[in-house]
Amino acid sequence: MRTPFERRLIFSAKPLSNSAVNTFRTELPVTGENLERIRLILNLTITHGTGTTPVTTGAFDYIKAITLKTSKGDLLVDGVCGKALYFYNLKNDQVTPYYDDIAASSGTYKAVIDIPFHRNNLIRPEDLYYLTNYASLELSVTTGSIADLLGTPGTDSVSASLDVVYHLTKSPLSKSEKSFPLALPYYKQLATIPLTSLPYFQLESANDLALSEFLILATTSNTAPFRGTDADNITTLSMKDNVQYFIQQVPVADFIQERKRHFLSNLTGIYYHSFIKTGSIKESYPTGGKSDIKITADTFTGTTYADCLLIGFRSFRI
């Protein structure tokens, strides 16, 4: 029987070391719940000195990578930075993720980064709410420094802590054919590419992996992944494998229209594609048995860098 959704504080004010990998191995319980999302609340306390030039959305830049894996070794989130999840959650929830504007003054600044276990483009988002086969989750958060928050850090300093909230239902979903979840969520950030020397992303092929979406950010400068001067410099984009094209030399105007549909605004530099159009998880692109899977900038202008977030599904390990 389905039960009402709940929100549960898992831990609060766990300290994060700057410029380090912070790993939580025992703090995230899995006791039969089905997760709709894991919410990370970042708390940044700035002690102001001579620093200037605050980066408004710097809290997301401070999170360099998030990794989430199960006790059976499934990578649900594979090295994804805070800004990449900011863009995806903007699309998935159709609302701007909460954050406090960073300022060159002493104070505590917060930002919310969700790890969605649901997808709003699915008719049955609960296809992904399932963790009862696992004993634990391990979360790793790689952090930055005051330089991510202030263009000129001066003598300013920052300390950070993390809260984690589960959005869940206590009862496992029915294992009937109609409601048994089909897969686990999967998020992977690819390495930044300079298009002048490498104009494509090479994608993984695996029998247990299907892709539902991808999100690319193009910039004319790149100081860190998903961070730079946004630009619509990719003029045509393709995606193909060893068999066929799935996106064939599509012009930038098409992507501009798609991002206006999916992000409710025209976000410069964003190239978004969804393989799912009618809400079925089975419309995802299966990577198994394929080779030479590439997303390619066929044509582009100027010095352009590109970052890519892959969104998809992994099969269960029973």
Side-chain angles (χ1 to χ4, degrees):
M1 185 180 80
R2 303 290 180 95
T3 59
F5 266 93
E6 303 177 15
R7 289 183 290 178
R8 184 187 305 167
L9 178 66
I10 301 303
F11 62 71
S12 177
K14 290 280 187 181
L16 297 174
S17 298
N18 291 325
S19 303
V21 179
N22 300 265
T23 301
F24 305 95
R25 292 190 174 89
T26 60
E27 292 88 347
L28 300 182
V30 178
T31 56
E33 291 92 349
N34 291 276
L35 291 173
E36 187 263 349
R37 70 184 62 205
I38 296 177
R39 174 160 292 167
L40 310 183
I41 302 174
L42 177 65
N43 311 293
L44 296 170
T45 300
I46 293 177
T47 302
H48 183 50
T50 61
T52 60
T53 322
V55 180
T56 302
T57 58
F60 298 103
D61 297 324
Y62 177 84
I63 300 299
K64 300 301 184 185
I66 294 170
T67 299
L68 182 69
K69 65 181 179 180
T70 73
S71 54
K72 295 185 179 181
D74 302 283
L75 271 173
L76 309 183
V77 183
D78 189 358
V80 179
C81 68
K83 185 61 73 65
L85 283 172
Y86 166 87
F87 284 124
Y88 184 71
N89 283 311
L90 175 59
K91 174 265 162 189
N92 193 50
D93 290 333
Q94 299 285 282
V95 64
T96 303
Y98 172 74
Y99 65 93
D100 294 324
D101 291 352
I102 299 298
S105 61
S106 295
T108 298
Y109 304 86
K110 297 179 180 292
V112 171
I113 302 173
D114 283 347
I115 301 173
F117 277 65
H118 79 132
R119 304 279 169 74
N120 280 343
N121 60 349
L122 295 178
I123 292 174
R124 290 182 58 246
E126 67 268 24
D127 279 339
L128 306 179
Y129 300 172
Y130 192 67
L131 281 178
T132 53
N133 279 345
Y134 303 95
S136 63
L137 291 172
E138 180 179 302
L139 173 69
S140 294
V141 179
T142 304
T143 56
S145 67
I146 188 67
D148 296 300
L149 310 177
L150 298 171
T152 305
T155 58
D156 285 29
S157 63
V158 64
S159 60
S161 67
L162 187 68
D163 308 335
V164 170
V165 177
Y166 279 3
H167 288 214
L168 55 87
T169 176
K170 280 183 179 175
S171 60
L173 299 178
S174 167
K175 293 188 178 182
S176 69
E177 182 181 352
K178 292 184 178 180
S179 61
F180 181 64
L182 300 179
L184 287 169
Y186 176 74
Y187 302 90
K188 181 179 177 63
Q189 180 179 311
L190 303 181
T192 304
I193 57 172
L195 297 184
T196 52
S197 58
L198 185 68
Y200 62 85
F201 293 101
Q202 186 80 49
L203 275 55
E204 174 188 3
S205 173
N207 289 332
D208 69 337
L209 173 62
L211 298 179
S212 61
E213 304 154 85
F214 67 77
L215 186 156
I216 290 172
L217 177 67
T219 58
T220 57
S221 63
N222 188 272
T223 55
F226 283 89
R227 184 175 179 179
T229 304
D230 306 338
D232 290 333
N233 277 9
I234 300 175
T235 49
T236 60
L237 189 76
S238 294
M239 184 266 186
K240 70 181 292 291
D241 56 29
N242 59 311
V243 177
Q244 69 176 80
Y245 278 95
F246 290 85
I247 302 171
Q248 187 168 3
Q249 296 179 335
V250 173
V252 63
D254 185 86
F255 285 98
I256 290 173
Q257 182 61 30
E258 287 300 290
R259 71 193 182 207
K260 291 177 77 171
R261 288 179 60 218
H262 293 285
F263 293 84
L264 301 183
S265 63
N266 185 10
L267 294 175
T268 302
I270 291 288
Y271 295 76
Y272 171 78
H273 177 74
S274 175
F275 295 96
I276 295 173
K277 289 300 180 185
T278 63
S280 172
I281 194 173
K282 295 182 180 180
E283 293 176 307
S284 300
Y285 169 75
T287 66
K290 309 290 176 60
S291 63
D292 202 28
I293 308 171
K294 290 180 179 177
I295 302 172
T296 302
D298 302 297
T299 58
F300 56 91
T301 59
T303 301
T304 303
Y305 300 86
D307 290 290
C308 183
L309 174 65
L310 299 177
I311 304 101
F313 310 103
R314 286 279 193 186
S315 300
F316 289 111
R317 297 189 190 188
I318 304 300

